[in-house]
Amino acid sequence: MERSRLIGAMQEILGPDGVIHEREQLRTYECDGLMNYRVIPDLVVLPESAEQVQNVVRLCYEEGIPFVARGSGTGLSGGALPVEAGVLIVMARMRKILEVDIPNQRVVVEPGVINIWVSQEVADDGYYYAPDPASQIVSSIGGNLAENSGGVHCLKYGFTTNHVTGAEVVLADGSVVHIGGGKAPDAPGYELLGAFVGSEGTLGIATKITLRIVRKPESVRTLLAAFKDTEEAGGAVSGIIGAGIVPAAIEMMDALTIEAVETTVAPGFPEAGAILIVELDGPEAEVASQFDKVIETCEANSASEIRVAEDDEERALFWKGRKAAFGAMGSISNDYYVQDGVVPRTELGTVLKKISALSEEYGLRVANVFHAGDGNLHPLVLYDNDVEGEAERAESLAGDIVFTCLEHGGSLTGEHGIGEDKKKYMPKMFTSDDMNVMQLLRCAFDPHQICNPGKIFPTPRLCGERPGPFHMHPIQKAGLAENF
Ligand SMILES: Cc1cc2nc3c(=O)[nH]c(=O)nc-3n(C[C@H](O)[C@H](O)[C@H](O)COP(=O)(O)OP(=O)(O)OC[C@H]3O[C@@H](n4cnc5c(N)ncnc54)[C@H](O)[C@@H]3O)c2cc1C
């Protein structure tokens, strides 16, 4: 279909202000939170209802036009990266909380609803929504579902998949299906919801999502413990879990991360090689006794300082420091690349040592801030894009970190997804038979592969195309041309 006719047809579905087609405005959507990859979409549409999503998708299907869903665009693996000559369907106008059902502990939302709004909506009833990615003040429930997002409290409460009970989905041909059990505890038949959650927008577009909410715990206690290095802190993590305690969260930050956070939000963290934030929640008596055990374990692993949050304000300050960590990197480095791998908890110490050796070998600093209790690592590779070759070195170092995770029984991603970024690594983890099975599932949902194509699975590259981070063309660098 000719572009002008497509614009007209989309405007008929969405109204004139629901379609963005001017090149300068389209550039707003050229990347997600991973800025290394950029593609300007042909068209951006902003549906306000499931029916509009359905009509947009049906039109794309009839015309063979690929499309990509986008929530808030905070993804860190290029999952919402537009496809060339494709339509980007931005869900940000579908932001209604449709139903709150406290007796059934369910909330039904549109996909553009921001994560934290769910907890705010049910706070007065004594409930909250447990998955809490550090991006929770901006990332959408639709994006969380597609990435199976985690967060600091997922150690005890589980990832998004454990808190989504049903979804209404527009499939690639424009048909609408309901998967999962909704308000009922379970649904008969294949566990399609499990396949859909974490499918990174490749199996369809969620237009309505039912979430489980959980009761706020009777008691919450949080401490911050400082250690000489990540190894000692890792020893404390193993000790706590080994004692049979399942904290609500155990987060680790290394010296470089502490420096960055202190330069920006200044939570007053102690100077240390590593700090742990440990949070326990549950019945008062249980929390009190386990908290003493956590303190003992930190002391036994040579903690140089232990601070117990005296009130909600101090607790919030600990978390503010942790949740600001990614953004704070800008204060100590021009650019950074967030890696996301996961290893068995028992391998944390060894893998961290190897990351430190890789950092020396490549001559690039690596800051570590991660969900230690889950073994979910987030090494931040610091580099300067203005220095010739540093972006490539950073990407190569980040790749070696992933391989190290695999060598130690881990996985390519802990919670940020594969997207565009890590598809090249998929054959390192999966056999071609494994990937064929995944492709069969994908084809059952989307036989023509028009729904977020080119993500997750490695594709042959074009002749002469340089893989890896965004490279500015020399003519563009010289200010003589715009992005090619
Ligand atoms: C500072 C920062 C901190 C972060 N911390 C965490 C963290 O602690 N834990 C964590 O897991 N992630 C974290 N992330 C990553 C990111 O926030 C999550 O992946 C989040 O779930 C993405 O949501 P989004 O709305 O921004 O989705 P987008 O980035 O817009 O999209 C992500 C994927 O979801 C798909 N998608 C979006 N909406 C739909 C829909 N309605 N139906 C089907 N597919 C859809 C897209 O196609 C894409 O593949 C962080 C990111 C940043 C920038």
Side-chain angles (χ1 to χ4, degrees):
M1 193 184 226
E2 215 180 83
R3 187 166 186 265
S4 59
R5 280 189 49 227
L6 179 67
I7 294 171
M10 288 295 183
Q11 282 176 338
E12 256 177 50
I13 298 171
L14 302 147
D17 84 328
V19 182
I20 295 173
H21 54 86
E22 299 288 348
R23 189 176 160 83
E24 281 317 305
Q25 288 179 321
L26 290 171
R27 290 192 74 158
T28 309
Y29 299 95
E30 68 181 353
C31 64
D32 60 9
L34 179 73
M35 286 173 273
N36 300 19
Y37 299 96
R38 294 163 197 244
V39 172
I40 299 176
D42 210 27
L43 214 59
V44 170
V45 297
L46 299 147
E48 289 180 4
S49 67
E51 197 190 344
Q52 287 185 345
V53 175
Q54 189 182 11
N55 290 335
V56 165
V57 169
R58 195 177 287 139
L59 178 61
C60 288
Y61 178 74
E62 283 162 4
E63 297 298 327
I65 300 167
F67 60 86
V68 178
R70 177 179 164 116
S72 302
T74 67
L76 290 171
S77 55
L81 184 75
V83 283
E84 253 167 64
V87 172
L88 189 72
I89 305 176
V90 178
M91 309 305 285
R93 287 188 179 171
M94 292 182 61
R95 289 195 161 171
K96 286 195 279 298
I97 295 181
L98 300 169
E99 198 185 335
V100 176
D101 180 351
I102 296 294
N104 282 309
Q105 296 182 237
R106 296 289 189 272
V107 175
V108 184
V109 300
E110 288 187 332
V113 163
I114 301 303
N115 174 298
I116 197 140
W117 294 357
V118 182
S119 292
Q120 287 167 347
E121 181 75 20
V122 295
D124 288 347
D125 294 297
Y127 284 84
Y128 72 108
Y129 177 61
D132 57 345
S135 58
Q136 71 183 141
I137 54 166
V138 56
S139 65
S140 73
I141 293 294
N144 291 177
L145 172 148
E147 298 291 356
N148 188 20
S149 286
V152 297
H153 290 97
C154 291
L155 169 63
K156 180 168 178 181
Y157 293 99
F159 279 51
T160 300
T161 192
N162 304 110
H163 299 271
V164 173
T165 61
E168 175 187 270
V169 175
V170 174
L171 296 179
D173 63 356
S175 52
V176 177
V177 294
H178 294 87
I179 53 178
K183 286 187 186 176
D186 195 10
Y190 292 120
E191 225 294 62
L192 293 178
L193 191 61
F196 190 77
V197 177
S199 61
E200 304 188 26
T202 61
L203 301 186
I205 303 185
T207 45
K208 201 197 276 183
I209 303 164
T210 305
L211 305 172
R212 183 200 320 278
I213 47 169
V214 288
R215 189 127 189 99
K216 282 190 203 166
E218 188 189 342
S219 163
V220 180
R221 299 203 70 187
T222 312
L223 67 74
L224 187 151
F227 298 86
K228 181 169 88 296
D229 51 35
T230 49
E231 213 172 326
E232 275 186 359
V237 174
S238 300
I240 293 165
I241 306 271
I245 299 169
V246 184
I250 308 187
E251 297 288 302
M252 199 188 296
M253 298 165 83
D254 71 2
L256 207 48
T257 309
I258 300 167
E259 182 193 326
V261 166
E262 282 303 322
T263 319
T264 48
V265 293
F269 287 165
E271 255 182 55
I275 57 173
L276 287 182
I277 299 177
V278 186
E279 186 156 285
L280 298 184
D281 67 11
E284 187 103 43
E286 182 187 301
V287 169
S289 80
Q290 292 191 340
F291 204 68
D292 289 343
K293 183 77 193 156
V294 169
I295 292 175
E296 262 172 45
T297 312
C298 290
E299 283 167 351
N301 283 277
S302 317
S304 53
E305 185 176 342
I306 295 177
R307 283 185 203 167
V308 175
E310 292 302 332
D311 47 32
D312 282 351
E313 211 177 308
E314 196 172 3
R315 182 174 161 247
L317 191 67
F318 290 176
W319 285 121
K320 187 177 169 197
R322 163 61 185 90
K323 292 195 176 181
F326 286 9
M329 288 303 147
S331 66
I332 57 166
S333 176
N334 271 358
D335 303 281
Y336 67 91
Y337 187 106
V338 186
Q339 190 48 287
D340 163 52
V342 66
V343 292
R345 225 172 1 236
T346 46
E347 297 292 319
L348 267 179
T350 319
V351 171
L352 284 169
K353 260 197 214 148
K354 288 199 175 173
I355 292 175
S356 156
L358 284 169
S359 156
E360 276 189 25
E361 185 189 321
Y362 278 88
L364 292 174
R365 293 177 301 166
V366 178
N368 286 292
V369 47
F370 56 99
H371 309 312
D374 297 314
N376 187 179
L377 291 161
H378 288 146
L380 295 134
V381 181
L382 311 185
Y383 70 98
D384 187 346
N385 209 15
D386 291 338
V387 177
E388 193 73 37
E390 262 203 16
E392 288 77 4
R393 274 209 341 270
E395 205 198 8
S396 186
L397 165 50
D400 281 354
I401 291 175
V402 163
F403 302 147
T404 308
C405 290
L406 290 181
E407 273 165 31
H408 289 267
S411 155
L412 295 178
T413 171
E415 55 184 7
H416 294 167
I418 299 292
E420 176 72 22
D421 188 33
K422 295 202 193 167
K423 62 184 186 184
K424 56 186 174 292
Y425 302 137
M426 286 287 275
K428 293 267 178 200
M429 177 158 179
F430 297 105
T431 65
S432 57
D433 284 346
D434 293 337
M435 283 200 285
N436 284 344
V437 170
M438 291 185 224
Q439 284 281 18
L440 282 171
L441 178 80
R442 168 151 171 51
C443 289
F445 279 79
D446 173 21
H448 302 297
Q449 308 232 1
I450 58 167
C451 186
N452 207 1
K455 310 288 162 58
I456 304 181
F457 301 102
T459 42
R461 291 205 167 260
L462 297 176
C463 175
E465 188 187 344
R466 286 168 71 193
F470 170 70
H471 300 280
M472 206 186 263
H473 192 281
I475 302 179
Q476 192 187 351
K477 233 179 195 174
L480 297 172
E482 271 200 81
N483 209 359
F484 282 93

